[in-house]
Amino acid sequence: MASFNVLIAVALFYAVLLFVIAFAAERSAEKGRGGWLRSPLIYTLSLSIYCTAWTFYGAVGYAARSGLEFLTIYLGPTIVMIGWWWILRKLVRIGRSQRITSIADLVSSRFGKSTSLGVIVTLLMVLAATPYLALQLQSVTQSFAVFAAASGHQWEGQDLARVALWVAVGLAIFTILFGTRNLDANERHHGIVMAIAVEAVVKLFALVAVGVFVIWGVAGGPSQMIDMIDASPLSQWDQSTARWVGLTFLSGAAFLTLPRMFQVLVVENADEDHLRTASWAFPLYLLAMSLFVVPIAVVGLDLLSIGANPDLFVLTLPLSLGHNGLAMLSFLGGFSSATSMVIVATIALATMISNHIVTPIWLSSRGPGAVVSGDVRQLVIGARRLAIGGVLFLGYVYYRLSGGGAALAAIGLISFTGAVQVLPAMIGGIFWRGATRLGAIAGILVGLVVWLWTLFLPSFGPDAVIPVEVMYNGPFGLGFLRPEALFNITGMDRQIHAIMWSVTLNSIFFFFVSVLTFPRPLERLQGAQFVNVFEHSEGARAWTTSTAEAEDLLIMAQRILGSAEAQDLFLIEAQRQGKQGYLPEVTPDFVQVLERELAGSVGAATAHAMVGQFVQGASVSVEDLIAVADEAAQILEYSNRLEAKSAEQERTARQLREANEKLTALSIQKDAFLSQISHELRTPMTSIRAFSEILGEGGMTPDQLTRYSGIIHTEAVRLTRLLDDLLDLSVLENGQVTLNIQRGTVRDMLDRAVSAAAAGKAMTILRKLGDEALVLETDVDRLTQVFINLISNAQKYCDADRPVLRIDLHRASAGWVLDFTDNGSGIPKQSQQVIFEKFSRLTDHRKAGGAGLGLAICREIMVRLGGEISYLPGQGGAAFRVVLPGAH
Amino acid sequence: MVKAPAKLTFLERAGYRRRRMRDVARVLPLIGALLFCVPLLWPRKSPYGPGTADAMIYLFVVWSVLIGLNALLTRYLGQDADHKTETQ
């Protein structure tokens, strides 16, 4: 038989090992080498504090008593983890964005940073945790007792109590050492997380080892094991539906609301991505922990005496078969399960007590308006150390009072039911903006009272707190208030009765009080930020104006965050504002940032109250909220307007760019034209001068005389035409032209134009004569001039071998239009925009014969007539469209 | 000027597939809860009906399948680069 002293030595050695691991992790994190401490694996393992001594010892006992029902405790969390996309993802995001420090902080922060809610939730959680802590002490004590019995000492009550006390003291020391070393801005504890990760591995390994031993070492293999189960008292499937569903719900809900689970799930979460891994890895861990429970229970029932405590089968089975090493491992597994839970639970509770009870009391004791003095950090840390001791002491007291005899699972369920009372407020708070502070308070208080009355107080045993008389007849003879048969509904399972009534009444009160009350501005603000946490809304500010001095705020922040961190915070903000030194402008935004930082250390409610001391009377009001909403709407509208304006500017810029290109092209062409026109004027002038000189010399034949004077005449005509064109254009441009409005058909005009322009030229002109009866009321002569110009242009410039001009009259969206399309090579794109300008000329052909004024004149005429002429690109040749004016 | 991101009504194929995978992530726990309750429909205390061993095997198989599916699903959702700025 294993010597009891060896066991003590192993336990102590294991404890020292945990100290060393925690210490090393802390050191490593301090030196910035803690990257590996922040892996999804460590995160998943830290969640395993869900599997406490209740799992390690109690699950087997539970299975021995009630068959597969123990599985509900692991199926609930499995469903919650697999459904991480619904709730956990949102909780973790909120926890990070709002710097939540605990479940009480979450509820308090959501409902307007309410101090009273923080206090209520803290008290509820401390009460609910007490039986659970007692459970851990009881299981560790019992496991010691097993070894003591094995080495020949039968322990009495006093011995057990002494061990329980020592275990509690040891745990308190460890937790105080590593849980309150510093006031971390994010409430993260590297050393402790590492230690519980190691313990997670130890307990899984130990349970699996016992399971493997039982299946292959005792039963002889899986199939024999199944035969053993079939032959055991557990063989029949006889599961109560209500308990199966009710306990699955309870465990899933408690997984979210237990302070220690919230601590590891949300507060210690370093990266949202870890949740993704944990969402399947943690259910896998639970599965591995549960896999061997039924085999161990069945074999234990088979081999051990009837009176043996099934809660300790994991330990007594290897011991009775003489496997001391395995028993020792199993003991360490149970020890790990108990200690890791106690450590995290006490830290979580201590944080809540210091942030939501001690600090608010201390703040209010200083009276309104008093400036914070003294070292708040020391106060908070001191409060936490005391709270850790106090919570463990309460657990010890419960253990002593309850007699330490109850089944572990029964104790655990009491605790779960208490913690779950926060669920309606929590879920309502993160999904429903209509949830109010008063609703949450009402729901939690009602749930708390029902839980106390129906489950917690009766758990001390008959006559301990509630007299037997009341249990049977109700208080003051009011039968419908009997603790185990509320409203005279009897015959229900005690546990399910308590869960059903407490959660139902809690939810009903939460909902209806929320609906009937009106939230305060800060509640509405926080509600919007919680519910819409994924929408990245910057949200409204909790502070509107600020009368605080930056220096006062810095002094306060130093006392809470520590000098270096506070100075960094102020320095960064000052730099962001573009100021030198450590004192930024105290803007509402900065106050917001500061408050959030402080909330990471002392909780939202306390941080709000502390900042409020400096920023008096400037907290947010309903009007501010509405104003902010308006502002947001205005900003949206403004940005829309900006967008429209920028589009307009872009359009203008594009137009300017085009105009510039046009001007540049024109200026080049103008230069070209000047040389062209001087050339045009000089050439006829030169020939006129030369031939008139020859004529003046006389002595020519009449034949020569006729020829030379003919040349002079032709050149003079050319000059006149050029000058006519220039004059015509200038008259048109200056608007001095008088229009001679007449009625005429398009066909007549085109007939005139064709005969005038195309006489004797080799060009085919295709016309659709049918439509051309259209009557126009306009200046017929001027319009004909435009047609003549277009036709003669086509004749001059069309470079096809067999030039064809199509003239097509039809109706377009702009009205009646006349298209002139030839089959030449058309006008290159870069020239299309300048052809209607004066002096523009695409080629230097002498055959053009004009000075590049024709199309400019056409455009001026069309503008005067109220029509339009434009180049029609993409027709396979040069194409001009004339929008006809005055069509009937 | 950068245009404000508007909510898209239609997505390209990959984005659409990711949205549907999120739907699976939402539905999976409900399916799991239902499957875990199936043994409640089995006959009780019947010498010929399924016993505790059968229920145990059934539950652990369902459990494993759920874990496996969720592992695949979260891996897929992890490739989702925009999962931190998601819209519903």
Side-chain angles (χ1 to χ4, degrees), chain A residues 65 194 309 346 506 587:
Chain A
R65 293 183 186 99
M194 195 60 219
N309 183 356
T346 48
N506 179 335
T587 60

Side-chain angles (χ1 to χ4, degrees), chain A residues 311-464:
Chain A
D311 278 339
L312 294 169
F313 279 175
V314 182
L315 213 51
T316 49
L317 208 61
L319 261 187
S320 70
L321 294 170
H323 287 79
N324 291 334
L326 190 60
M328 197 71 85
L329 181 63
S330 165
F331 169 81
L332 284 185
F335 186 74
S336 297
S337 315
T339 51
S340 55
M341 176 272 166
V342 172
I343 291 165
V344 182
T346 48
I347 288 180
L349 291 173
T351 307
M352 285 158 64
I353 292 171
S354 78
N355 287 357
H356 296 284
I357 296 182
V358 178
T359 326
I361 289 174
W362 176 80
L363 266 182
S364 64
S365 74
R366 310 194 61 79
V371 169
V372 181
S373 65
D375 196 338
V376 184
R377 285 163 70 76
Q378 278 312 313
L379 172 89
V380 171
I381 290 180
R384 285 187 191 173
R385 290 185 175 153
L386 273 180
I388 288 170
V391 166
L392 273 165
F393 180 72
L394 277 180
Y396 176 73
V397 168
Y398 185 95
Y399 165 69
R400 297 280 286 158
L401 282 181
S402 66
L408 296 177
I411 307 178
L413 289 176
I414 294 171
S415 191
F416 272 27
T417 312
V420 159
Q421 301 312 320
V422 176
L423 187 78
M426 178 169 118
I427 298 298
I430 65 172
F431 288 106
W432 181 38
R433 281 180 64 177
T436 70
R437 183 179 64 99
L438 291 174
I441 291 178
I444 293 174
L445 282 182
V446 166
L448 172 66
V449 168
V450 174
W451 169 66
L452 285 176
W453 184 245
T454 58
L455 203 62
F456 185 78
L457 295 180
S459 76
F460 289 97
D463 263 344

Side-chain angles (χ1 to χ4, degrees), chain B residues 31-80:
Chain B
I31 294 172
L34 285 177
L35 288 177
F36 284 143
C37 288
V38 165
L40 296 174
L41 304 171
W42 295 354
R44 310 288 159 90
K45 287 199 170 178
S46 149
Y48 307 107
T52 295
D54 302 300
M56 195 176 111
I57 291 166
Y58 168 81
L59 287 170
F60 278 100
V61 167
V62 169
W63 204 342
S64 314
V65 169
L66 274 181
I67 291 169
L69 281 180
N70 203 32
L72 290 177
L73 192 67
T74 50
R75 180 156 303 179
Y76 191 88
L77 287 173
Q79 297 164 353
D80 189 352

Side-chain angles (χ1 to χ4, degrees), chain A residues 68 78 83 85-86 89 93 234-239 241 244 273 276 279-280 283-284 287 290-291 536 643, chain B residues 3 22 26 29 36 39-40 44-45 50-53 55-56 59-60 63 67 70-71 74 78 83-84 86:
Chain A
L68 283 179
T78 296
W85 195 270
W86 285 105
R89 202 171 57 101
R93 175 67 66 88
L234 302 179
S235 67
Q236 286 197 334
W237 172 247
D238 180 28
Q239 177 58 48
T241 300
W244 185 263
D273 253 12
R276 269 192 314 118
S279 74
W280 60 267
L284 189 64
L287 182 141
S290 326
L291 195 55
H536 293 283
E643 212 171 284
Chain B
K3 255 189 129 179
R22 286 177 200 164
R26 290 190 181 97
F36 284 143
L40 296 174
R44 310 288 159 90
K45 287 199 170 178
T52 295
M56 195 176 111
L59 287 170
F60 278 100
W63 204 342
I67 291 169
N70 203 32
T74 50
H83 71 284
K84 279 179 180 161
E86 77 135 16

Side-chain angles (χ1 to χ4, degrees), chain A residues 42 63 111 136 152 257 267 362 391 402 455 595 605 674 753 773 776 787 811 823:
Chain A
I42 301 287
F111 295 103
Q136 312 303 320
T257 56
V267 182
W362 176 80
V391 166
S402 66
L455 203 62
E595 188 189 319
L674 279 178
L776 299 180
F787 296 162
R811 234 191 133 82
N823 60 348

